[in-house]
Amino acid sequence: MRTTVLVTAAAFGLLVAHAANAANDAARLKREAQAVTIVRDDWGIAHVHGRTDADAVFGMAYAQAEDDFNRVETNYLVALGRLAEAEGESALWQDLRQRLFIDPDELKRDYARSPAWLKRLMDAWADGLNHYLATHPETHPRVIRRFEPWMALSFSEGSIGGDIERVSTAKLQAFYGKDPAGALAQFVPPSSWAEPTGSNGIAIAPKLTVDGHALLLINPHTSFFFRSELQMSSDEGLDAYGAVTWGQFFIYQGFNRHVGWMHTSTTLDAVDEFAATVERRDGRLVYRHGDRWRPVTSREVALSVRADDGTCAERRFTAYGTHHGPVIRDEGGKWIAIALMNRPLAALQQSWLRTKANDYAAYMKVAALKANSSNNTIYADDKGNIAYLHPQFIPKRDDRFDYTKPVDGSDPAADWQGLLPLDAAPRLFNPPTGWIFNTNDGPWWAAGPDSPKASDYPRYMDAVGENPRGLHATRVLTGRRDFTLASLIDAAFDPFLPAFARQLPILIADYDALPASDPLKGRLAGPVGLLRHWDYRWGIASMPTSLAVFWGDILWDKASKLDNEEGLSVYDVMAGKAGPKARLDALAEAADRLEKDFGSWGVPWGEVNRFQRVDGAIRQRFDDAKPSIPVPFTSSRWGSLASFGAHRWPGTKRYYGTSGNSFVAVVEFGDRVRARAITAGGESGDPASKHFNDEAERYTTGHLRPVYFWPDEREGHVERTYHPGE
């Protein structure tokens, strides 16, 4: 009995201590919250101010959780390799891919050795999210019930589709799951469904603007609702506005009082694959490197997978690696290891510090951290400077090797040889043209005739080349000397479609070459007549746009399956190798599909192409019977600068968009920075909120709203002012 009493007393003591710690924690968080003020404007956008930078981080993390905690948590389930704990077996291979690179124990060590200022920010980030959960018991996390500061390091770079996503989950399943059949069963959508990810960035020098101020276009193309829009400021000099990837504590694409930065997905090849010859010798796995055999590294990865009944089971894998990186598949009897940037501590520092840069020199000092591998940067500032930066994490390699394909990992000459210095990469600073752009093409077109020359750099600086949006950007920028905020918006929404300007004359020539006896001659007379006189501009009422997009999507899918010659783009295949028959058959199929689904091959584009937001789910279900609104612009695939990636969905006839223009802003760097912006749908992920869809109409028409950057601009536009938790 005495033992039982002692045990009971000890247990009671632990409960009391736990309760006391919880009470102390709650009191501490409440005190932190009092140092933060959140102002919600009449679009629901949070303007967060704190006494310190850490206070501002606390508030912005809290505000993001208010707007869409589901997306915040989901991003960290993905980043930590824990999505299967919520979504089950379907997320297993995505989790394994993440955990090949992300090790929670290593992240905890990174946190422990972080500089004091960064620790304070990570602590505040976790506190802000935990304070939200503590004050919103109606919110039920799927997995993460308490955020730890080190978790911020798992998601330190805000790109859409980071470097890790180059790794095929199907091929991981075939290698680590010994399950080729299961890998083949993974759904692969038609290639025309894959909207080109990336962005548009444009900077205009003062000499080309009416008011003599530098201008910046910020136009990320991501999946919709991928980022929040907010402002964060502090008494320590922070004052940044822009797009924040849900759950991160830094402005990813935006501006402060002095400088602006726009990131666009790069064509730099900074992710390489190395083929290893692996053998088992003396009971262990080894691979050849030069004239010796090195041991294959291995570590155990344990993943938790949710079952249908809500319980979780553990799945364990042995992850293999070489000195190049983790092994991700088997190909031709060789193991393929992948090398990519994995520097979370440096990346998080760079992502934060650039938001506080106040001029070009300060921005470049931050860039010297060399922890950006996937993004080009278009830059502008209030001193009138404009610039283009290539990514800063650029492995130095022997240019004899073609790194767009797996290289021989046994040859030491193919190894990475450290990182290139910043001045060895393509860069532009105040080019004579007075404008700079990037549309996810190479930098060789960024400033027209003043662009860097590809011949001056290793070929791995650009693995893709030019695209139709680049042609379009050159067209709208060349010869202009009268730019304003309004005219830069007009340029960003210019309706010309250069891909169709190239492709359709070839199609029409194919038709004209048909003999009169060919059945297609009569069958396609009407559709060809409609396209023959089109000006290649999208519009809600445009019938040729509908027909051209349906034709282009069908031919795209066919062309992408052909064996492409080296260096031949899908556009080249459509215009050449696909051949007249495939091009004409695709038009007949497009006309038939339009007639079947809409009653005629002459259908206004706005009847087909729609924006719909009816629930807050990350994977929304689309429904032709529910409200939607017309969108005039098309996929960026066809050269539209304004991007709307849409296609049919199960059970729909209409096209519904899920990616493309997600946040658009134009910024003028005068005596006081000013801007206009728009976010897809609205700021809130809650369908019951008036800010769930209040920007949709403006989004589809390119009618950007004023940004209330300065406190006096918010006068008369404040919806609520409060401290977190109130």
Side-chain angles (χ1 to χ4, degrees):
M1 181 179 293
R2 183 171 180 275
T3 301
T4 302
V5 170
L6 289 174
V7 171
T8 302
F12 179 73
L14 287 173
L15 287 173
V16 170
H18 178 75
N21 288 337
N24 291 336
D25 195 45
R28 178 180 62 81
L29 294 179
K30 190 172 183 179
R31 287 194 301 273
E32 287 185 42
Q34 291 302 303
V36 180
T37 301
I38 300 175
V39 177
R40 294 279 184 177
D41 67 27
D42 49 15
W43 295 100
I45 294 165
H47 303 261
V48 181
H49 183 79
R51 285 197 292 262
T52 66
D53 288 355
D55 293 335
V57 167
F58 179 104
M60 68 94 76
Y62 179 94
Q64 286 187 81
E66 281 188 302
D67 288 335
D68 204 326
F69 177 80
N70 181 32
R71 281 184 163 80
V72 172
E73 183 189 19
T74 298
N75 276 349
Y76 280 90
L77 293 179
V78 171
L80 292 164
R82 297 180 61 183
L83 190 60
E85 292 180 45
E87 299 186 0
E89 191 80 17
S90 64
L92 174 63
W93 303 105
Q94 182 177 343
D95 280 356
L96 179 61
R97 176 176 67 185
Q98 197 73 11
R99 291 290 295 277
L100 291 179
F101 303 91
I102 296 296
D103 180 349
D105 290 335
E106 182 62 30
L107 294 182
K108 292 173 186 177
R109 288 190 286 271
D110 279 345
Y111 169 77
R113 63 187 180 89
S114 296
W117 66 265
L118 185 60
K119 274 188 181 178
R120 288 194 292 270
L121 299 185
M122 289 189 276
D123 292 346
W125 167 82
D127 284 348
L129 292 174
N130 291 330
H131 188 55
Y132 169 81
L133 290 175
T135 55
H136 291 77
E138 73 282 3
T139 297
H140 302 288
R142 293 195 290 170
V143 174
I144 305 176
R145 289 168 175 76
R146 181 173 180 79
F147 288 83
E148 300 293 338
W150 62 267
M151 292 179 178
L153 287 161
S154 70
F155 194 26
S156 56
E157 210 266 5
S159 297
I160 175 73
D163 292 343
I164 288 175
E165 293 192 13
R166 308 278 188 94
V167 177
S168 164
T169 55
K171 292 176 181 178
L172 273 184
Q173 182 174 359
F175 183 79
Y176 284 104
K178 304 296 188 290
D179 185 13
L184 288 172
Q186 289 194 24
F187 173 66
V188 180
S191 58
S192 61
W193 287 20
E195 177 66 8
T197 56
S199 306
N200 299 328
I202 296 175
I204 308 293
K207 69 180 183 180
L208 300 185
T209 67
V210 170
D211 295 323
H213 303 145
L215 299 174
L216 179 67
L217 168 70
I218 299 172
N219 181 200
H221 294 168
T222 69
S223 52
F224 292 159
F225 327 124
F226 181 72
R227 295 194 176 108
S228 167
E229 178 183 348
L230 57 78
Q231 182 175 9
M232 55 191 307
S233 62
S234 77
D235 295 340
E236 294 182 336
L238 173 70
D239 199 355
Y241 188 105
V244 181
T245 306
W246 288 109
Q248 295 184 325
F249 63 72
F250 51 85
I251 303 293
Y252 180 66
Q253 291 157 319
F255 60 95
N256 60 34
R257 297 182 182 189
H258 302 287
V259 311
W261 58 96
M262 170 59 208
H263 300 307
T264 60
S265 297
T266 188
T267 60
L268 166 75
D269 175 17
V271 179
D272 294 331
E273 294 181 344
F274 296 85
T277 300
V278 177
E279 295 183 6
R280 185 174 292 277
R281 295 188 173 190
D282 300 325
R284 63 176 186 167
L285 292 171
V286 293
Y287 67 98
R288 189 164 63 84
H289 186 245
D291 58 1
R292 66 192 185 103
W293 291 85
R294 301 174 63 159
V296 173
T297 61
S298 65
R299 66 181 176 92
E300 293 298 308
V301 174
L303 300 176
S304 187
V305 182
R306 185 182 186 276
D308 291 340
D309 63 2
T311 61
C312 281
E314 188 179 77
R315 297 282 295 276
R316 301 188 73 86
F317 299 89
T318 299
Y320 298 106
T322 72
H323 71 289
H324 295 114
V327 174
I328 57 172
R329 69 177 188 276
D330 182 294
E331 185 176 292
K334 293 183 181 292
W335 286 13
I336 307 299
I338 191 167
L340 51 76
M341 188 189 85
N342 190 11
R343 307 177 67 205
L345 182 53
L348 190 57
Q349 292 180 77
Q350 184 168 345
S351 294
W352 170 264
L353 290 171
R354 65 182 169 226
T355 69
K356 298 191 70 173
N358 56 14
D359 60 18
Y360 182 72
Y363 197 94
M364 291 305 300
K365 183 178 180 180
V366 175
L369 286 165
K370 296 184 181 180
N372 165 30
S373 65
S374 60
N375 291 293
N376 311 312
T377 302
I378 303 296
Y379 167 98
D381 66 29
D382 62 356
K383 294 180 180 178
N385 298 312
I386 63 172
Y388 167 90
L389 306 180
H390 221 42
Q392 295 84 58
F393 181 93
I394 304 177
K396 184 179 180 181
R397 285 154 282 185
D398 189 327
D399 209 30
R400 294 176 301 160
F401 296 93
D402 180 3
Y403 288 93
T404 62
K405 302 172 183 177
V407 296
D408 182 2
S410 68
D411 187 346
D415 285 359
W416 286 2
Q417 302 158 26
L419 298 180
L420 285 176
L422 293 185
D423 58 8
R427 191 190 308 176
L428 286 165
F429 183 71
N430 294 333
T433 51
W435 51 259
I436 297 172
F437 78 85
N438 187 258
T439 61
N440 317 117
D441 50 359
W444 327 124
W445 302 276
D450 299 319
S451 304
K453 302 296 184 285
S455 58
D456 293 337
Y457 297 92
R459 56 179 169 168
Y460 54 75
M461 290 294 182
D462 172 27
V464 177
E466 199 169 24
N467 63 38
R469 276 183 293 134
L471 297 172
H472 194 174
T474 301
R475 175 188 172 109
V476 299
L477 294 173
T478 301
R480 294 282 302 273
R481 304 190 65 85
D482 58 350
F483 278 105
T484 62
L485 278 182
S487 64
L488 184 54
I489 294 171
D490 289 343
F493 286 86
D494 184 85
F496 186 64
L497 298 171
F500 287 130
R502 175 190 179 188
Q503 300 289 338
L504 288 180
I506 298 169
L507 172 69
I508 292 168
D510 292 338
Y511 173 80
D512 290 342
L514 285 175
S517 58
D518 193 300
L520 286 177
K521 196 73 172 180
R523 183 182 174 191
L524 296 179
V528 169
L530 185 66
L531 296 174
R532 190 186 296 273
H533 303 292
W534 185 33
D535 61 2
Y536 311 119
R537 285 170 165 76
W538 50 248
I540 286 177
S542 171
M543 293 182 183
T545 302
S546 304
L547 185 59
V549 169
F550 272 53
W551 169 77
D553 285 350
I554 291 167
L555 186 59
W556 184 282
D557 287 337
K558 293 179 178 179
S560 63
K561 294 175 183 177
L562 296 175
D563 291 329
N564 291 358
E565 298 173 27
E566 191 73 24
L568 206 60
S569 73
V570 68
Y571 302 102
D572 296 332
V573 176
M574 290 171 68
K577 188 175 182 179
K581 185 178 188 307
R583 288 189 287 267
L584 292 167
D585 286 347
L587 182 60
E589 187 177 339
D592 289 346
R593 185 180 294 172
L594 282 164
E595 287 183 349
K596 177 184 176 183
D597 290 348
F598 299 96
S600 169
W601 48 258
V603 182
W605 180 230
E607 286 296 309
V608 176
N609 200 49
R610 312 288 286 190
F611 177 88
Q612 185 177 82
R613 193 183 194 193
V614 294
D615 63 53
I618 293 177
R619 298 182 185 89
Q620 180 174 304
R621 293 181 180 272
F622 297 100
D623 189 338
D624 286 341
K626 293 182 178 180
S628 62
I629 56 178
V631 178
F633 36 99
T634 73
S635 165
S636 66
R637 176 182 301 114
W638 310 120
S640 180
L641 293 174
S643 171
F644 191 72
H647 56 78
R648 292 184 302 166
W649 296 84
T652 77
K653 296 177 180 177
R654 286 172 155 170
Y655 278 28
Y656 294 99
T658 58
S659 64
N661 276 17
S662 51
F663 173 70
V664 187
V666 289
V667 190
E668 181 177 13
F669 293 94
D671 295 335
R672 294 205 326 173
V673 64
R674 68 187 186 102
R676 301 184 71 89
I678 200 70
T679 293
E683 184 64 20
S684 175
D686 180 3
S689 169
K690 68 178 182 180
H691 300 303
F692 177 70
N693 223 23
D694 57 340
E695 299 185 55
E697 196 76 43
R698 283 175 171 265
Y699 167 81
T700 62
T701 59
H703 183 34
L704 277 60
R705 51 175 170 69
V707 167
Y708 310 132
F709 182 85
W710 301 96
D712 62 334
E713 294 174 329
R714 294 195 286 273
E715 292 177 9
H717 298 286
V718 173
E719 202 168 74
R720 186 182 172 210
T721 301
Y722 60 102
H723 300 296
E726 294 180 347

